[in-house]
Amino acid sequence: MDSFDIETTSRRHADTKDEEEKVRLLRNDTEEEEEEHSHHEEEERGLHMSKAIVLCCILTIASCSSSILAQLSKHGESGQYGYHTSTVPVLSEFAKLVISVGIVGYDYTKTGSIHAPLWTVKEFCTKYLVIGFLYAIQNNLVFIALMYLDPGTMEVLGNLKMPLTAILMCLVLHKVFSSIQILGLALLTIGAMLSKVNLVSCGEGPDKDCSKSRIGILIMIIMCCISSSASVANEYLLKHKDNGPLFWQNAQLYLSTCFFSVLHAAFIDQVPMNGDFFEGYSWMTLAVILNLALVGIIVSITLKHADNIVHAIASILAMILATVFSVLAMDAELHILSVFGFACIAVGVLLYFFSNACNMHCLASFYPASSIRSLV
């Protein structure tokens, strides 16, 4: 009986050890899976941040070149544009439409399908026509605001678009910003405003109408809200896979923006729609149009693979490059507040893109060529 009890006890001990070993192995497997999943997520975040940085750099250069080409297209002696400036957005929108349709057509000849849902008037009117209409309102409010504010004040207040866009991205796209990224966005906004403060008119006395200034500020706030709404809505549509490939969506959006830009040029700016439409055009004017079209295409790619914040950061960095070009090539003066603003912007960019050690991992795997290839 004693030997039987001893044997039973030893078996129980052996079974217990086997169970403990199984539990240990299972726990090790679970920890390995979690570690592998965590490593995969870290690589995904690093790749996404690499794409964002590549797109930001490309968009910054393209946007800066737009400002420089626009300056170079002016007449040397008078410093005025020799052509109808309202015709440039019209032709750039048509150029973007032609490029998008061409890419969709090329894809169709290769695959026999555009890989997109059937186009319906209802879908077009409820999505892309609304966005095009919002962009048209924004463009018109710019000229209305100029009746109440000086251009410098408009430049400063226009930077309110970044925080408004960030708020809408949180509400609509469920974007999550870290506390350091929020600090970076705040520094970017403040820096962009400071860099333009020297342009603000500071007149005092009887000619200073405070009521007009209040109306102008209200118009600018409304314009920033509309612009942010249109941008976030466009990003939402571009990232929604059910809406089809990127350039199929672009073709629909550019069709609506072409419609509204023609209406704006014909009825608001009253540009002649005859032979005088191209009056004063030169090769430099055509370069401006093609560059604007290229910037529009890059912006759509940025919204598809990054977000509106990257687009906004690229616009701010392009402004800095254009300012440096003006100082070096055109003997423009650089205000001390602009230098301080540029410093705030630099710190804000670093905080936003490299807000934690996880994002810093992207520097180790930063290969621009592979990142660009993965965008298409």
Side-chain angles (χ1 to χ4, degrees), residues 18-310:
D18 290 340
E19 290 178 1
E20 290 177 353
E21 182 67 18
K22 290 179 181 179
V23 171
R24 187 182 65 81
L25 292 174
L26 182 61
R27 186 182 296 112
N28 290 339
D29 291 340
T30 304
E31 290 176 353
E32 289 177 0
E33 290 177 359
E34 290 178 352
E35 184 178 351
E36 183 178 352
H37 180 69
S38 177
H39 181 69
H40 179 71
E41 287 184 345
E42 185 177 344
E43 287 184 344
E44 286 290 329
R45 284 193 294 266
L47 180 60
H48 178 76
M49 191 59 64
S50 298
K51 288 181 180 180
I53 294 174
V54 171
L55 287 168
C56 186
C57 293
I58 295 174
L59 187 55
T60 297
I61 296 172
S63 300
C64 178
S65 61
S66 293
S67 301
I68 294 173
L69 288 173
Q71 288 291 330
L72 295 176
S73 67
K74 293 180 178 180
H75 284 175
E77 297 179 356
S78 62
Q80 301 293 323
Y81 295 105
Y83 52 90
H84 296 290
T85 54
S86 298
T87 62
V88 172
V90 174
L91 295 179
S92 67
E93 293 299 324
F94 274 100
K96 288 187 284 186
L97 177 62
V98 170
I99 293 172
S100 299
V101 171
I103 293 176
V104 171
Y106 176 79
D107 185 57
Y108 180 79
T109 58
K110 290 292 184 180
T111 63
S113 174
I114 59 175
H115 307 290
L118 292 176
W119 186 86
T120 63
V121 175
K122 180 181 178 181
E123 287 283 320
F124 176 74
C125 292
T126 56
K127 293 180 180 179
Y128 302 98
L129 199 63
V130 171
I131 296 177
F133 181 65
L134 290 176
Y135 281 130
I137 294 176
Q138 170 200 336
N139 294 333
N140 283 286
L141 285 177
V142 170
F143 297 98
I144 296 175
L146 280 171
M147 298 169 59
Y148 300 93
L149 297 172
D150 60 276
T153 305
M154 279 191 59
E155 289 276 356
V156 172
L157 294 176
N159 290 293
L160 292 174
K161 180 183 174 182
M162 176 173 283
L164 290 173
T165 300
I167 293 172
L168 285 176
M169 288 175 65
C170 293
L171 296 175
V172 178
L173 304 176
H174 307 293
K175 175 77 173 180
V176 178
F177 296 101
S178 67
S179 57
I180 298 181
Q181 284 181 320
I182 293 173
L183 177 59
L185 292 177
L187 286 174
L188 281 164
T189 304
I190 294 171
M193 288 183 169
L194 286 175
S195 64
K196 295 294 183 181
V197 164
N198 62 302
L199 301 177
V200 177
S201 175
C202 300
E204 297 291 345
D207 295 333
K208 187 72 175 179
D209 192 340
C210 293
S211 61
K212 289 184 64 176
S213 297
R214 293 192 191 99
I215 294 173
I217 292 172
L218 179 61
I219 292 173
M220 284 300 300
I221 293 174
I222 294 173
M223 190 191 75
C224 289
C225 290
I226 292 175
S227 177
S228 300
S229 301
S231 299
V232 173
N234 190 20
E235 181 180 344
Y236 174 81
L237 290 179
L238 288 173
K239 288 181 175 176
H240 206 286
K241 295 182 179 180
D242 294 340
N243 293 325
L246 171 63
F247 286 98
W248 170 251
Q249 297 179 71
N250 278 348
Q252 297 178 77
L253 176 61
Y254 298 148
L255 183 62
S256 68
T257 54
C258 284
F259 173 72
F260 288 113
S261 61
V262 169
L263 290 181
H264 184 276
F267 295 104
I268 297 179
D269 293 335
Q270 296 182 343
V271 177
M273 295 296 173
N274 49 28
D276 296 334
F277 187 88
F278 299 99
E279 182 182 358
Y281 267 49
S282 63
W283 288 108
M284 187 60 67
T285 312
L286 296 178
V288 172
I289 293 170
L290 292 177
N291 184 266
L292 285 175
L294 178 63
V295 169
I297 296 295
I298 297 173
V299 167
S300 67
I301 297 174
T302 302
L303 297 185
K304 178 78 171 181
H305 297 281
D307 53 43
N308 269 292
I309 299 299
V310 174

